[in-house]
Structures are given as C-alpha cells and as structure tokens.
Amino acid sequence: MTVVIPDYIAPLIPWVRGIIGLVLIGAIFIAAMGAVWIERKLSADIQSRVGPCRVGKYGIFQLVADAIKLFTKEDIKPQNADSLLFNNANIFMIGSVFLVLVALPVGAVFINGVEYPLAVTEMDISVLYIEAVSALSIFGIFMVGYGSNSKYSLLGAFRNFARMVGYEVPLGISIISVAVMTGSLNIVDITSAQGLYWNIFLQPLGCFVFFVSLMADMGRLPFDQNESEEEIIAGWITEYSGMRFGLGFFAEYMHMVLGSFLVALLFLGGWNVPGFIANNSFLGLIAPTGFLLIKTIFVLMVIVGIRWVVPRFRIDQVVDLSWKKMFPLALLNLVWAVGLGLYLGA
C-alpha cells in the first residue's frame, strides 16, 4: 500500500519515528509489568485464591516489590561456569525484544482519512524480519544452559531447541499463508488489507496453527518443558539468581506482549476502524490504536488463561504435535490461502 505523504509532514517523519522508538522502549517494560500483574490476578481468579493484594491497591506494586527483592539478592555464579556466556545471556533475551520493536507497528493515526502507522520503520519483509529476530532469544537461553555448567540447565536448553525448531516451521508457514493471500510481506500492508474482514475468518485454521505455534515458541504452558520444575528443577534458568533470574523471566513476558500484538495485527484486524471513525479529526487519532490495544489485551488474557486450564505436555508429545499435527495443518492452510488469494485477486 502506497501512502502519499503531504510535503508539510514528510520532514517530520524521522523525528516522529525516533520519538515512537523511545516511547516503545519504555512502553514495552510497562506492558510487561502489566502482563505479570494480569497473570497473577487472572490466575488467582481462575484458581479461586486471594492472589497478590497486599502491595498496593489490587497488588499493582507487587512487581516493584519483587524487583526490589531480586536487586538485593546475592548474584551467585556456579564455580566452573563460563563467565562470558553466563554473564551476557540476558543481552540476547532483551535485545531480541528491541529488535522486534523496530518493525512492529503498535497502532496508527488517521489524519484527514489518511493512515499513518505508528512504527519506527516500515520494511517490505517486516513479518519475516520480526519472526527471525524474535527467535534470537534462543541463543540467550542456550548461553545460560551451556555456560552454567549444570546438567539441568543444559537439558532445559536442548529441550528449548527441540521445541523451537519444531514450531518455527508451522509458525513461518502460517505467516507466509497470510502474506500470500494479502500479496505482501509488509505487516502494515497485511493489517491495512484486512479492513473489517479479519483474517481469522478467512483463515481460521491458519490462525489456530499460528496461535499454538506462538504459544510453543514463547515457552508458555503447556509448552514449558524447558523449565518443568518436577523434572529438571527450573530448566535453563536453574543456576541464575537475583536480577539475572528476574530479567530472564521478564524477557518471557515481553515476548508474550509482542506475540499478542502479532496475533491482533495478523488475524484480528489490527487498528482498522469503520470509515466514519477514521475520517473524524479526533477519533481518527486515538480510536485505531485503542482498538488494537483492546484486542492485544484480550489475546494476552487468553494466553494467561490457557496456562491454568491445559495440563503440561511431555516433551515427546510436544515434538509429535509440531511435526505430525501442526506442520501438515500449516501446509493445508497454505494451499487454502493460495486458492483464496487467487479468488480474491480475480
């Protein structure tokens, strides 16, 4: 989709995108904190327990209390650990989040009916870029597992490899299916092309494959075999303590927020709003991003809810599910997407 940018707006775009980038860095940390709070409170409601409620109203300062605790705990390193790998693993985990933010639009504004995505940059292959850089976190997990000099951490890291390799394939195919139907690998074009006819209705099977594969890719229950407490203590993060431990899990929640954005953008219509809202001088500035955030929060709550209603799978069941179930379904959806794309293009 080509947008004609007025002459008086064009010089401001680099500055606006720079501001968006700075805002996103802070917003992703706040969103991850909110995800932790949602997880705790929603989980407490599902399990009929009180949950964190003594630190601030409704426990909103619980994460702050946890952070203070982790900052003040002793940073312990195993005796024969590889210092280079052990000390720098969190850079890959957190860094992959920032690399995703480079191309991930978090909303849009409509000025005089013209759509301006809120993204740091636009790429012709942004969906492939996002998938690629989000997978960089696996290097951080392997650095922890291998550098800890612990069999439990190493076993957890290899489980993570087995899971991610199996689910990256159907995840990628489901993304390609959406791109084939849309005719673009640009996530902005894919979102804009949906209009009020969301891709979840055009490709329900593709949405299912994408969501399940995304859950596995993030290591969320029932796909958290890399840290199954009853089998391998805490998996890859066993030897981490203090704030290293906290950053490792915080990165998981950051990826969960970004994954919820992807589901909303690729399959739930993103920021698309009816024309009368887009043409309104006030609503066009706030409503599209607001719609996207509501959809993202809904997906986030579904991800949290699934954690407490589905039992954890064994690692062999996880691998079988990816190669014997998700992969064939992804190929079937790709054939459907090609046919649907030809039909809609005609």
Side-chain angles (χ1 to χ4, degrees), residues 98-113:
F98 295 151
L99 289 174
V100 170
L101 290 177
V102 170
L104 185 71
V106 294
V109 295
F110 286 84
I111 302 177
N112 296 327

Side-chain angles (χ1 to χ4, degrees), residues 48-302:
S48 298
R49 55 186 173 84
V50 176
C53 61
R54 300 183 182 277
V55 187
K57 186 70 172 178
Y58 302 115
I60 58 176
F61 295 123
Q62 181 65 49
L63 188 63
V64 177
D66 290 341
I68 294 174
K69 177 189 71 174
L70 293 172
F71 269 118
T72 54
K73 291 185 70 174
E74 182 180 2
D75 183 20
I76 301 174
K77 185 175 71 174
Q79 183 175 359
N80 296 318
D82 188 313
S83 298
L84 180 63
L85 300 179
F86 189 85
N87 294 335
N88 297 301
N90 281 325
I91 296 176
F92 280 86
M93 300 179 194
I94 304 294
S96 65
V97 174
F98 295 151
L99 289 174
V100 170
L101 290 177
V102 170
L104 185 71
V106 294
V109 295
F110 286 84
I111 302 177
N112 296 327
V114 181
E115 175 186 295
Y116 297 96
L118 297 179
V120 177
T121 186
E122 287 190 45
M123 303 179 184
D124 292 336
I125 55 169
S126 55
V127 285
L128 296 183
Y129 167 83
I130 290 172
E131 183 189 7
V133 297
S134 65
L136 289 179
S137 60
I138 186 64
F139 291 102
I141 292 176
F142 182 76
M143 289 169 67
V144 178
Y146 183 79
S148 296
N149 190 38
S150 167
K151 62 181 179 180
Y152 298 110
S153 300
L154 186 61
L155 181 58
F158 276 118
R159 280 188 170 190
N160 215 325
F161 269 121
R163 192 193 68 243
M164 286 194 69
V165 169
Y167 286 92
E168 282 288 339
V169 176
L171 183 71
I173 294 176
S174 59
I175 291 176
I176 293 298
S177 300
V178 173
V180 166
M181 190 181 69
T182 306
S184 173
L185 286 169
N186 188 334
I187 192 170
V188 173
D189 292 345
I190 292 173
T191 303
S192 301
Q194 293 181 68
L196 299 179
Y197 299 97
W198 300 352
N199 285 335
I200 189 174
F201 303 119
L202 299 177
Q203 293 189 34
L205 181 59
C207 181
F208 171 76
V209 172
F210 180 84
F211 185 76
V212 173
S213 300
L214 183 68
M215 288 276 292
D217 204 42
M218 294 186 299
R220 298 284 303 175
L221 269 168
F223 301 102
D224 69 334
Q225 291 71 29
N226 53 315
E227 52 194 58
S228 301
E229 301 90 348
E230 71 276 10
E231 301 173 28
I232 48 178
I233 308 180
W236 59 275
I237 208 169
T238 297
E239 302 299 336
Y240 260 8
S241 62
M243 204 56 201
R244 295 186 196 276
F245 177 89
L247 286 175
F249 273 105
F250 201 57
E252 177 183 317
Y253 283 94
M254 289 183 182
H255 281 281
M256 186 168 70
V257 173
L258 296 180
S260 300
F261 265 105
L262 279 177
V263 175
L265 289 168
L266 295 177
F267 292 98
L268 300 183
W271 57 73
N272 286 291
V273 293
F276 72 92
I277 295 179
N279 294 323
N280 186 283
S281 58
F282 175 71
L283 293 178
L285 295 176
I286 62 173
T289 303
F291 275 34
L292 176 60
L293 291 178
I294 291 173
K295 296 172 186 177
T296 301
I297 293 173
F298 172 76
V299 175
L300 190 67
M301 295 180 68
V302 171

